[in-house]
Amino acid sequence: MSDSLLLLSLSGAFVSILLSVIAYFLKFLLQDFRKLQEDFLEIKVRQENLRAEIDRITEVLFLLKKQLMRKRRGSET
């Protein structure tokens, strides 16, 4: 009987240690996941800002192209 009690106690201690190790690494995994989410949101914001900037640059280039075409037509006549 004492052998089975000792085996049960050792098994319980082993399971407890394993669960502690799993919880320890799970904590780091969750921290990394949260950091990854924050970084992803920051990248999305930067991407939107870059798209807006590209749209503004495209608009300016289009207006400059129109002006150059008008000047070119005016100088040909």
Side-chain angles (χ1 to χ4, degrees):
M1 176 107 165
S2 69
D3 289 339
S4 63
L5 188 58
L6 178 64
L7 183 61
L8 188 60
S9 297
L10 289 175
S11 298
F14 183 70
V15 168
S16 177
I17 289 171
L18 282 179
L19 287 175
S20 297
V21 169
I22 290 170
Y24 178 75
F25 286 112
L26 190 60
K27 174 185 168 188
F28 284 117
L29 180 66
L30 289 174
Q31 287 175 351
D32 288 346
F33 184 73
R34 287 182 186 135
K35 178 69 173 141
L36 186 63
Q37 281 181 325
E38 291 172 7
D39 291 345
F40 182 73
L41 289 175
E42 182 180 340
I43 288 172
K44 280 181 72 173
V45 168
R46 286 184 182 185
Q47 181 185 18
E48 290 173 9
N49 290 339
L50 287 172
R51 280 188 182 159
E53 189 68 27
I54 288 171
D55 289 344
R56 285 191 292 270
I57 290 171
T58 303
E59 204 173 311
V60 168
L61 289 174
F62 183 71
L63 292 173
L64 287 173
K65 180 182 174 184
K66 276 186 171 180
Q67 287 178 354
L68 287 173
M69 291 180 78
R70 282 188 208 138
K71 286 183 182 180
R72 185 173 165 191
R73 286 184 194 149
S75 64
E76 287 179 358
T77 58

